[in-house]
């Protein structure tokens, strides 16, 4: 199977924070891979912008190193790297001052798509937006891309939205949640709305409960300072897990169009039940054999920030009332594994008696080993009576789709190309982000008011014991965290 590459229009993409970590790890290598795939048309340019002094030649070296370190997995033909580097420019610029803006004005062209990637802290969003318009760098077709975290609560998110709205229309603002750019996450929509099979059963009448797991083996690493102010709730739940929940739970949009999809996601967030404290378990990882524990890693022996969270979430609407959604995510867990499992109800009546009591489970594996498995009940082979067993109807994308199934385009590559194309479907709208914070804020405020202390869990485990009990109370069990 050959992937289709649809070239985009020529563009100038300015990356503020062009020498930062995200640019180095994701944005620049991602653009290079799109270039290799033939998606970046002649005349397109990438302009790194940052405060440090550097010229375009030095930036090209920086980009080449970033690609060598993070972009080599898909080898390009000889000479391609030079072709890509020729498209790189650099300007030294001060987001809060006037330095460098006239250089950027001189560089930019007005006959190509102009996109500005704010790969900087949110405290600079407003300044950048203001200076871009002040210097006449944007028109009605220009786009800006902003990274998470988009605020740290409802008030700060509203303030950011207001600052951006002073200079840009909502249709020009691309708020990234890189989970939406993952191949299998988009497959959730394809599976739900591209098959007759599932949608009639996709409701509380047939679904017992749904589990959403995003487990990581890494700890907080060098990001302790940021992470300790955020925790799993702000870092993962308010955005990535919320988006997964929305895609699983939303009503079918009338068409695959940015606002139709986002309207439906917003309705899910607004229908979430307020959280009750005993439906949440927070955890912090202990030291491992050769890795520091959470508190050591963030340098605060009394930190109360969670590196793990499990929660039972209810959605009060016609489709889902009565079906719990169990969400969990954590660092330093047993395996890197993200999956969504839809557990269907037991049969109303089994003609096979107890032997027939098997449930269907649909598991959508997001990473690694992307694929879909449906647990189906069949007869145990052989003579000697009617015994039943549950077997997986297993579809690994890598096996079913060959090279294309395994060779997943990185989320950032896809999302950046969507920005250039002007397609906002996979980006969060301002009201969606605010609604997510409106639901999250009281939970965090509750912990702060009560002085809630997370439970500890062993590094390399499946999380705190209390998380097991969260489901056991409902006579349910978590799926194993396995690669
Ligand atoms: C980021 C979080 O948004 O997502 C990180 O800030 C987390 O803490 C990462 O590790 C997980 O992304 P992925 O694509 O590796 O699942």
């Amino acid at each position: 199977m050959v992937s289709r590459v649809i070239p985009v229009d020529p563009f100038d993409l300015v990356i503020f924070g062009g020498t930062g970590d995200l640019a180095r790890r994701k944005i620049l290598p991602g653009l290079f891979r799109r270039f290799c795939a033939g998606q970046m048309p002649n005349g397109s340019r990438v302009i790194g912008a940052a405060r440090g002094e550097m010229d375009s030649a030095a930036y090209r070296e920086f980009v080449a190193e970033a690609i060598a370190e993070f972009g080599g997995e898909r080898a390009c033909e000889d000479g391609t790297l030079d072709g890509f580097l020729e498209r790189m420019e650099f300007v030294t610029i001060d987001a809060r001052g006037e330095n460098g803006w006239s250089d950027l004005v001189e560089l930019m062209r007005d006959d190509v798509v102009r996109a500005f990637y704010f790969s900087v802290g949110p405290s600079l969003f407003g300044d950048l937006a203001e200076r871009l318009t002040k210097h006449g760098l944007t028109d009605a077709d220009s786009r800006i891309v902003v990274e998470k975290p988009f605020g740290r609560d409802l008030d700060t998110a509203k303030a950011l939205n207001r600052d951006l709205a002073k200079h840009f229309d909502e249709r020009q603002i691309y708020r990234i949640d890189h989970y939406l750019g993952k191949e299998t996450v988009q497959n959730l929509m394809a599976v739900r709305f591209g098959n007759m099979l599932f949608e009639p059963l996709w409701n509380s009448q047939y679904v017992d409960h749904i589990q959403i797991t995003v487990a990581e083996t890494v700890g907080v690493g060098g990001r302790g300072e940021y992470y300790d102010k955020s925790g799993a709730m702000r870092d993962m739940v308010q955005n990535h897990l919320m988006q997964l929940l929305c895609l699983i739970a939303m009503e079918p949009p009338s068409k695959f169009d940015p606002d139709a999809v986002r309207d439906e996601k917003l309705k899910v967030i607004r229908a979430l039940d307020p959280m009750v404290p005993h439906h949440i378990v927070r955890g912090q990882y202990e030291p491992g054999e050769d890795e520091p524990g959470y508190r050591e890693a963030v340098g605060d022996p009394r930190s109360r920030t969670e590196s793990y969270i499990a929660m039972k979430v209810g959605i009060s609407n016609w489709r889902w009332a009565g079906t719990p959604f169990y969400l969990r995510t954590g660092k330093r867990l047993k395996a890197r594994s993200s999956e969504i499992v839809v557990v269907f109800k037991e049969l109303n009546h089994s003609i096979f008696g107890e032997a027939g009591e098997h449930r269907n489970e649909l598991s959508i594996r997001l990473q690694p080993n992307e694929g879909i498995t449906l647990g189906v009940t069949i007869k145990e082979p052989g003579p000697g009576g009617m015994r039943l067993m549950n077997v997986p109807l297993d579809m690994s994308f890598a096996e079913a789709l060959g090279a294309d199934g395994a060779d997943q385009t990185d989320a950032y590559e896809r999302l950046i190309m969507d920005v250039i194309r002007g397609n906002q479907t996979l980006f969060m709208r301002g009201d969606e982000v605010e609604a997510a914070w409106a639901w999250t804020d009281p939970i965090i405020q509750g912990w702060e008011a009560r002085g809630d202390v997370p439970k500890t869990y062993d590094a390399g485990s499946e999380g705190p014991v209390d998380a097991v009990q969260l489901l056991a109370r409902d006579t349910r069990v978590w799926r194993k965290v396995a690669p």
Side-chain angles (χ1 to χ4, degrees), residues 131-375:
R131 284 191 168 68
L132 281 174
T133 37
K134 178 173 152 196
H135 291 281
L137 281 158
T138 57
D139 60 20
D141 192 42
S142 305
R143 294 126 213 207
I144 58 165
V145 185
V146 292
E147 267 296 329
K148 86 176 243 283
F150 197 83
R152 52 177 286 105
D153 54 22
L154 179 58
D155 286 348
T156 47
K158 275 187 172 165
L160 285 176
N161 276 336
R162 265 197 312 270
D163 283 350
L164 296 180
K166 280 185 209 152
H167 307 285
F168 295 96
D169 280 349
E170 182 61 34
R171 62 175 178 78
Q172 297 178 281
I173 305 172
Y174 290 71
R175 294 177 196 77
I176 285 209
D177 181 313
H178 79 280
Y179 266 57
L180 288 176
K182 288 184 190 272
E183 178 73 13
T184 325
V185 174
Q186 291 170 66
N187 237 323
L188 280 178
M189 286 185 276
V191 167
R192 280 196 61 192
F193 306 128
N195 294 287
M196 195 58 209
L197 195 61
F198 299 117
E199 204 45 33
L201 306 179
W202 213 260
N203 56 54
S204 59
Q205 199 184 339
Y206 296 101
V207 177
D208 178 73
H209 72 279
I210 292 180
Q211 299 187 11
I212 303 179
T213 301
V214 177
E216 298 184 276
T217 48
V218 292
V220 294
R223 299 164 72 222
E225 201 188 321
Y226 150 77
Y227 192 91
D228 203 42
K229 293 197 199 93
S230 303
M233 189 68 169
R234 288 190 172 99
D235 187 53
M236 296 294 289
V237 177
Q238 186 270 347
N239 34 73
H240 305 328
L241 273 85
M242 183 75 84
Q243 289 297 321
L244 298 180
L245 174 67
C246 286
L247 296 179
I248 276 287
M250 71 184 186
E251 295 300 314
S254 58
K255 47 185 186 284
F256 193 56
D257 148 291
D259 276 329
V261 170
R262 297 183 301 176
D263 285 347
E264 295 307 334
K265 288 199 291 168
L266 179 62
K267 285 185 208 160
V268 174
I269 304 175
R270 290 192 172 148
L272 295 177
D273 291 341
M275 190 49 77
V276 283
H278 64 278
H279 284 171
I280 304 192
V281 176
R282 303 166 73 221
Q284 254 182 6
Y285 60 84
E286 298 265 49
E289 261 172 34
D290 39 32
E291 274 218 49
Y294 177 81
R295 289 179 169 188
E296 243 179 287
V298 300
D300 177 359
R302 290 208 298 260
S303 168
R304 291 179 175 172
T305 306
E306 75 287 349
S307 60
Y308 174 98
I309 192 162
M311 57 207 315
K312 175 180 173 179
V313 178
I315 302 179
S316 280
N317 64 16
W318 194 267
R319 184 185 285 261
W320 292 118
T323 294
F325 288 70
Y326 298 100
L327 276 47
R328 65 179 161 164
T329 182
K331 297 212 179 277
R332 295 287 282 135
L333 294 177
K334 194 171 174 185
R336 176 170 185 258
S337 158
S338 302
E339 73 171 352
I340 298 173
V341 184
V342 181
V343 181
F344 290 92
K345 290 194 170 167
E346 283 176 4
L347 298 173
N348 285 350
H349 165 71
S350 169
I351 62 168
F352 308 108
E354 276 182 22
E357 284 176 13
H358 290 284
R359 287 177 183 212
N360 298 114
E361 287 188 3
L362 177 72
S363 143
I364 302 155
R365 289 189 307 280
L366 307 179
Q367 59 188 28
N369 309 324
E370 291 83 351
I372 297 178
T373 306
L374 179 64

